[in-house]
Amino acid sequence: MGAAAAVLVVLWLAVAAAGAGERPSEVSIGALYTYDSVIGRAAGLAIELAVGDVNADRTVLVGTTLSLISQDTNCSGFLGTIEALQLMEKNVVAVIGPQSSGIGHVISHVVNELHVPLLSFAATDPTLSASEYPYFLRSTMSDYFQMHAVASIVDYYQWKEVTAIFVDDDYGRGGVAALSDALALSRARISYKAAIPPNSNAATINDVLFRANMMESRVFVVHVNPDAGMRIFSIANKLRMMGSGYVWIVTDWLAAVLDSSMSGDLKTMSYMQGLIVLRQHFPDSETKREFISKWNNAARNRSIASGLNSYGFYAYDSVWIVARAIDQLLDSGEQINFSADPRLHDSMNSTLRLSTLKLFDSGEQLLQQLLLTNFTGLTGWAQFDSDRNLVRPAYDILNIGGSVPHLIGYWSNYSGLSVAAPEILYEKPPNTSTSAQRLKNVVWPGNSASKPKGWVFPNNGQPLRVGVPNKPSFKELVSRDTGPDNVTGYCIEIFNAAIKLLPYPVPCQFIVIGDGSKNPNYDDIINMVAANSLDAAVGDFAIVRNRTKIAEFSQPYIESGLVIVVPVKEASSSAWAFLKPFTLEMWCVTGVLFIFVGIVVWILEHRTNEEFRGSPRRQVITIFWFSFSTMFFAHRQNTVSALGRFVLIIWLFVVLIINSSYTASLTSILTVQQLATGITGLDSLLSSALPIGYQAGKFTRNYLIEELNVPESHLVPLNTIDEYADALNRGPKDGGVAAIVDEMPYIEIFLSYHCNFRIVGQEFTKEGWGFAFQRDSPLAADMSTAILQLSESGQLQRIHDEWFSRSSCSSDDSEMGATRLGLGSFWGLFLMCALICVFALVMFFARVCWQYSKYSGSEEPDEPKDDSAGTAEIAAEAVAEMQRRRPKRLGSFKELMQFVDKKEEEVRKSMKRRPSEKDNQGVGSSDAQSVA
């Protein structure tokens, strides 16, 4: 039954093939690689095994045999090209290879014309993915991804510069170009490119490595061919470049060598300790393990001495990719036909036989089938992206320690560095954040567990080129000198002290910039550092935003901020100087308040205190005397009422404040200096529209124009201390300036020479001075650490005191420009006092009204009855007596004032007498009735 079913399947497939067009009995594909090479030995056998497996598989190319034609490129670009042309003569529908990127560039032009797809398992140059080569497909990983993996490792360990050691051919140059682009994404760079010519001998390699070792970077990325690459490490070991402090990152060529080397064959393993090696990542599978076993058995049978490497897996999958595409092409009804290209013909007496090169008629259709590839092979998911590269590139990251490499992590373009396999991460959302990047511990060269710094000061005999500004003034900071360094000053001494703290020697060559007659432009010096004309800039360089974009600055070694300095003059004495502490408004309000308080106290004390009574003239004098004598706390009148004492206490407090303020202001006016221009700070300076001086060449000019919107016409550049003093003394009217804006250290030096100027206001910016280095220079970080050490040890302050030892004038703002006191400073105090006085008056008059209502609220006594004349006469006399003793009931304001003017004691006695008189009146009436 099984045999019959198989026959039926074959018959059905044959009928289907006949319906779609007769299938050819044989289809030829070519293979281009170097037979005797690390990659070729593994790939050649893998290709043969793949062709045998395809022909044995009844689901692919049924009825058609896949034939293989191989050509040896002999590790030669010229010979490889000739072999490729010979291969094209044999009517192959596709080519597996070439192994070399250089041959790939040449032969890609040929296959473009002949429409023969080229599927390379080892040409990794990223430039082969250009649209210039539409028939070139890459069935291995492009170096574009490998160099991004290298850049991720460099960024993970926070190195900023690497040295690239590469073979100087298309493969090496393309990989290094991709590395440079990848490093730039993390602000790192290739500081030196050490190109090794192809087929170089040991002496040439020695010279290249020696020059690379003279550079500052100790992170070496090695991208060479597998067959000659091993000599690099043996020579580097002789140059002592494999010890502690060095970092070696090697691309996948070394993994191919290690995988191909039989146990015991690798004699150089002892001096490759600590290397980081990349290898293409393949997910583990049963199919992969079966192929490894089959390949090893075949290698033993053929006496192949080397082992299987990753390129063998890619070569095996390449055959299957081509076989599946040809099968799809034939299923679509296309035929395998070749035709002559009329543009290719042999010239007279030519032996090249160009006419034998045929055009593959269905080449475009086969290319499209190849691009639609989608299956799982030995290397994982086989599918092409828009650049004709395999999707999901991933690498194993190995660390050589001991006798075998150890896996320390993975890299994929899906999630970056990780310790989990990429196929596991594909099932999760992508995460390329810095915190997610991880690798296991690494054993570095020299058997060190601590991460190397990655750089040293270059040992190439070239000193550090340090630019120093040459200025005509402020010599305390930096100036030319006849000493060994040819420069001296505060900034230079700080720099030299920090250099001595570095753990490695740094020879310096100070380059003076400027002629000394005027200030050089500081931004131009920083631009020279950024343009590699200088290695560093040392001096009074402020760390500001636009400079940090193009240069790397150290930790600030001194704080500096912009301040305003103005001229001052001694206060001139005047006969009326005693009136200056208060403004006219303040004097008027204070006088009125004195009189008002005197009147209030007189009202409150008048009824109870004999000292506040008397004739009108005496009382007016008392009011004025009492009021103004309180100014000196010399009032003789005593207050006896509670409200009067309360008001007096508050008033004496107000008087104390007024006296103290007057005394302080008068003292200031008579003793301190006055501002000559009236500028008291930044706001008054900007609103004055007066000329402003600044130090030429510094960032101050740009700051005033761009940040504070000061018109450029208002700015006056100055170079020296004498120019500062002259411009301020002349003032705006005589062609000078109203004020100078400069950084605090300069102003401190300036004021140490000229004491008739002062700082007004506060620092309105916060900067610092630092040393400038080239962008991402590791020397900046080490110098920052050295500056912090100087600060912690106190040496930084001692150097400052040594160079700024000249005594400077006091710049206390309290000593200049005394301001007259106005009502605005006291209105709250005056308002409180006035409200308390009003409150006391309201309480007083409320009490008076209450007394008056009780005093005058009683009814008139009843008139006696006319029972007898005697009785009537007695009653009339009693009533008359009572009316004489109290005023009539409220009849006018005058009567109220008369009541207010009465003594408190008299009012109380009168109020006590009234009830007794009323009782006496009642008794008199009773007696009169009894007599009647």
Side-chain angles (χ1 to χ4, degrees):
M1 291 293 294
V7 171
L8 289 175
V9 171
V10 172
L11 290 174
W12 179 83
L13 291 174
V15 171
E22 185 177 356
R23 281 178 175 252
S25 60
E26 183 179 87
V27 176
S28 297
I29 62 172
L32 285 173
Y33 58 93
T34 299
Y35 292 174
D36 188 19
S37 66
V38 172
I39 295 176
R41 286 188 289 269
L45 180 55
I47 292 172
E48 293 179 14
L49 293 176
V51 171
D53 291 342
V54 168
N55 290 329
D57 194 318
R58 294 190 176 187
T59 62
V60 180
L61 292 177
V62 176
T64 300
T65 302
L66 189 65
S67 174
L68 175 66
I69 303 174
S70 299
Q71 297 288 144
D72 187 0
T73 57
N74 292 296
C75 285
S76 169
F78 174 74
L79 293 179
T81 303
I82 298 301
E83 293 291 333
L85 292 174
Q86 292 178 355
L87 183 63
M88 295 302 167
E89 294 178 354
K90 301 174 182 178
N91 295 339
V92 294
V93 298
V95 176
I96 308 297
Q99 175 181 329
S100 165
S101 295
I103 298 176
H105 279 281
V106 176
I107 200 62
S108 290
H109 293 287
V110 177
V111 297
N112 285 350
E113 296 298 327
L114 301 181
H115 295 178
V116 176
L118 200 63
L119 193 65
S120 177
F121 58 88
T124 57
D125 179 11
T127 61
L128 286 169
S129 298
S131 56
E132 181 183 8
Y133 310 118
Y135 280 84
F136 179 88
L137 286 80
R138 198 190 322 265
S139 58
T140 186
M141 294 184 197
S142 169
D143 280 339
Y144 170 85
F145 301 109
Q146 180 167 215
M147 294 310 171
H148 275 74
V150 172
S152 295
I153 296 172
V154 172
D155 183 55
Y156 177 77
Y157 291 109
Q158 299 179 349
W159 297 312
K160 292 300 180 183
E161 293 186 354
V162 304
T163 293
I165 301 174
F166 62 99
V167 60
D168 195 9
D169 60 6
D170 291 328
Y171 159 74
R173 289 189 297 270
V176 169
L179 175 62
S180 180
D181 294 340
L183 290 173
L185 298 177
S186 56
R187 290 183 56 186
R189 68 187 182 98
I190 299 175
S191 60
Y192 181 72
K193 295 179 180 180
I196 300 176
N199 304 317
S200 296
N201 55 31
T204 302
I205 297 175
N206 184 87
D207 292 341
V208 171
L209 293 181
F210 181 80
R211 288 193 297 270
N213 196 37
M214 301 294 286
M215 302 298 122
E216 66 178 21
S217 175
R218 284 295 178 263
V219 180
F220 297 102
V221 177
V222 184
H223 186 58
V224 296
N225 293 314
D227 297 283
M230 296 304 296
R231 290 185 297 170
I232 291 177
F233 301 112
S234 61
I235 296 172
N237 185 58
K238 295 178 181 178
L239 294 175
R240 299 184 179 180
M241 297 173 63
M242 305 300 296
S244 179
Y246 287 85
V247 177
W248 292 84
I249 302 175
V250 189
T251 54
D252 55 14
W253 67 267
L254 181 57
V257 174
L258 296 178
D259 291 340
S260 300
S261 301
M262 296 297 183
S263 177
D265 289 348
L266 195 56
K267 300 178 181 179
T268 57
M269 182 66 76
S270 61
Y271 48 76
M272 290 198 305
Q273 300 299 302
L275 271 60
I276 294 178
V277 183
L278 274 69
R279 180 177 61 192
Q280 298 95 332
H281 172 76
F282 309 136
D284 193 21
S285 65
E286 182 63 30
T287 306
K288 176 183 173 183
R289 289 191 290 270
E290 290 177 357
F291 171 74
I292 294 174
S293 177
K294 179 188 291 187
W295 191 97
N296 288 333
N297 292 332
R300 281 194 299 270
N301 294 334
R302 300 188 185 190
S303 301
I304 297 177
S306 63
L308 176 63
N309 56 54
S310 57
Y311 293 101
F313 294 102
Y314 284 122
Y316 183 88
D317 279 352
S318 298
V319 174
W320 275 98
I321 292 173
V322 171
R324 289 175 181 273
I326 295 173
D327 188 49
Q328 294 295 326
L329 178 71
L330 297 176
D331 285 345
S332 65
E334 295 289 339
Q335 298 296 311
I336 306 298
N337 294 320
F338 293 86
S339 59
D341 189 341
R343 294 171 299 175
L344 295 175
H345 56 84
D346 295 324
S347 302
M348 293 183 62
N349 301 322
S350 174
T351 60
L352 292 178
R353 296 187 303 168
L354 296 178
S355 58
T356 58
L357 298 177
K358 304 295 184 180
L359 184 70
F360 181 29
D361 296 336
S362 300
E364 177 67 26
Q365 291 75 14
L366 179 59
L367 175 64
Q368 296 304 318
Q369 293 298 332
L370 288 170
L371 293 175
L372 294 176
T373 297
N374 189 353
F375 74 99
T376 301
L378 297 180
T379 58
W381 189 16
Q383 184 180 5
F384 294 102
D385 60 16
S386 58
D387 291 327
R388 306 179 305 282
N389 292 317
L390 291 178
V391 298
R392 292 187 175 180
Y395 287 88
D396 297 336
I397 301 176
L398 310 175
N399 177 220
I400 298 179
S403 58
V404 293
H406 301 282
L407 183 67
I408 61 171
Y410 305 90
W411 179 91
S412 70
N413 68 333
Y414 183 78
S415 57
L417 299 175
S418 68
V419 294
E423 51 269 21
I424 297 176
L425 298 177
Y426 290 145
E427 301 175 359
K428 302 178 181 179
N431 184 4
T432 57
S433 63
T434 303
S435 59
Q437 307 299 293
R438 290 182 56 199
L439 290 176
K440 296 179 181 178
N441 294 333
V442 176
V443 177
W444 303 101
N447 200 29
S448 172
S450 59
K451 184 196 79 172
K453 184 170 58 176
W455 77 283
V456 296
F457 192 79
N459 190 26
N460 57 7
Q462 299 294 327
L464 193 73
R465 299 167 298 170
V466 181
V468 177
N470 185 21
K471 303 168 61 173
S473 193
F474 299 105
K475 300 294 186 180
E476 293 87 346
L477 300 175
V478 60
S479 63
R480 298 194 70 164
D481 187 55
T482 58
D485 291 335
N486 80 330
V487 288
T488 186
Y490 166 72
C491 302
I492 303 301
E493 186 166 346
I494 293 290
F495 179 77
N496 288 334
I499 285 290
K500 293 177 181 178
L501 293 178
L502 298 180
Y504 44 84
V506 181
C508 298
Q509 177 188 1
F510 292 101
I511 302 173
V512 177
I513 300 173
D515 57 9
S517 61
K518 62 180 181 179
N519 291 347
N521 189 295
Y522 278 49
D523 287 339
D524 290 346
I525 299 177
I526 299 299
N527 287 329
M528 292 175 66
V529 175
N532 199 29
S533 299
L534 295 172
D535 297 317
V538 172
D540 43 343
F541 290 93
I543 305 173
V544 291
R545 184 180 62 235
N546 65 317
R547 293 175 182 172
T548 58
K549 294 178 180 179
I550 60 174
E552 197 83 22
F553 280 85
S554 68
Q555 170 84 12
Y557 57 86
I558 187 174
E559 293 183 357
S560 68
L562 291 178
V563 294
I564 302 170
V565 63
V566 298
V568 294
K569 60 182 180 180
E570 295 294 335
S572 58
S573 182
S574 169
W576 303 101
F578 67 92
L579 294 177
K580 291 184 178 180
F582 292 161
T583 61
L584 177 61
E585 182 185 35
M586 179 67 179
W587 279 119
C588 294
V589 173
T590 303
V592 170
L593 192 60
F594 267 93
I595 297 173
F596 174 69
V597 171
I599 294 174
V600 170
V601 173
W602 174 81
I603 291 173
L604 298 177
E605 294 291 320
H606 178 69
R607 302 184 69 202
T608 58
N609 195 338
E610 286 292 340
E611 296 184 16
F612 288 87
R613 300 185 66 85
S615 63
R617 178 174 177 274
R618 180 188 174 189
Q619 292 186 54
V620 170
I621 294 174
T622 300
I623 290 174
F624 280 92
W625 169 257
F626 177 82
S627 297
F628 290 100
S629 62
T630 55
M631 182 185 300
F632 311 102
F633 306 99
H635 51 284
R636 293 179 299 175
Q637 293 82 2
N638 294 320
T639 53
V640 296
S641 67
L643 288 175
R645 290 176 175 176
F646 177 62
V647 170
L648 182 60
I649 289 174
I650 300 300
W651 174 241
L652 291 178
F653 173 73
V654 174
V655 169
L656 176 64
I657 299 299
I658 294 175
N659 279 345
S660 301
S661 301
Y662 176 85
T663 303
S665 182
L666 181 61
T667 302
S668 175
I669 289 173
L670 295 178
T671 59
V672 306
Q673 297 171 321
Q674 303 295 307
L675 299 176
T677 59
I679 295 174
T680 58
L682 180 61
D683 293 336
S684 59
L685 176 64
L686 297 178
S687 61
S688 67
L690 295 174
I692 303 172
Y694 69 94
Q695 186 178 167
K698 299 290 289 183
F699 80 98
T700 311
R701 174 185 176 277
N702 293 338
Y703 180 84
L704 292 173
I705 295 175
E706 297 173 3
E707 302 296 334
L708 301 183
N709 299 317
V710 178
E712 187 175 0
S713 59
H714 292 176
L715 300 179
V716 180
L718 304 170
N719 286 284
T720 67
I721 292 177
D722 292 337
E723 289 183 11
Y724 276 32
D726 179 64
L728 288 172
N729 285 328
R730 284 189 287 120
K733 295 181 180 179
D734 295 329
V737 297
I740 290 176
V741 176
D742 207 346
E743 295 173 84
M744 179 62 82
Y746 301 117
I747 299 304
E748 288 180 352
I749 296 174
F750 172 66
L751 294 180
S752 68
Y753 290 94
H754 299 276
C755 290
N756 55 331
F757 307 101
R758 287 292 180 271
I759 297 173
V760 294
Q762 303 294 324
E763 284 184 325
F764 53 91
T765 63
K766 291 291 184 183
E767 296 95 21
W769 290 354
F771 306 128
F773 300 91
Q774 293 182 9
R775 189 73 168 167
D776 299 321
S777 171
L779 191 58
D782 287 353
M783 286 295 287
S784 295
T785 303
I787 290 172
L788 290 176
Q789 291 177 348
L790 291 175
S791 177
E792 293 172 357
S793 65
Q795 188 176 355
L796 198 65
Q797 186 62 42
R798 287 194 295 271
I799 296 175
H800 177 276
D801 295 341
E802 177 183 346
W803 285 96
F804 291 84
S805 59
R806 184 183 177 93
S807 60
S808 60
C809 307
S810 173
S811 59
D812 188 355
D813 287 346
S814 64
E815 295 185 3
M816 359 167 231
T819 304
R820 301 179 71 187
L821 300 176
L823 186 60
S825 302
F826 296 93
W827 71 267
L829 187 66
F830 287 174
L831 179 62
M832 179 190 70
C833 180
L835 291 176
I836 290 174
C837 291
V838 171
F839 172 75
L841 288 176
V842 170
M843 295 292 294
F844 172 78
F845 281 111
R847 185 170 179 273
V848 168
C849 291
W850 174 77
Q851 287 180 339
Y852 185 72
S853 65
K854 293 202 64 175
Y855 183 79
S856 60
S858 59
E859 296 181 355
E860 293 286 341
D862 296 335
E863 294 184 359
K865 298 179 181 180
D866 292 334
D867 292 339
S868 64
T871 303
E873 183 178 352
I874 293 172
E877 292 177 355
V879 170
E881 179 65 20
M882 291 177 61
Q883 290 176 347
R884 282 196 301 270
R885 292 186 178 182
R886 65 176 177 83
K888 297 178 180 180
R889 301 184 65 182
L890 180 60
S892 67
F893 180 73
K894 181 180 179 181
E895 293 174 353
L896 176 60
M897 291 298 100
Q898 290 176 352
F899 176 77
V900 173
D901 190 52
K902 283 182 175 291
K903 291 184 177 181
E904 181 77 16
E905 184 180 358
E906 182 179 348
V907 172
R908 289 178 180 176
K909 289 180 179 180
S910 297
M911 292 177 64
K912 288 180 180 179
R913 252 194 329 261
R914 280 186 300 163
S916 60
E917 289 176 350
K918 187 174 182 180
D919 293 342
N920 292 338
Q921 180 183 358
V923 173
S925 299
S926 300
D927 292 344
Q929 291 177 0
S930 62
V931 171

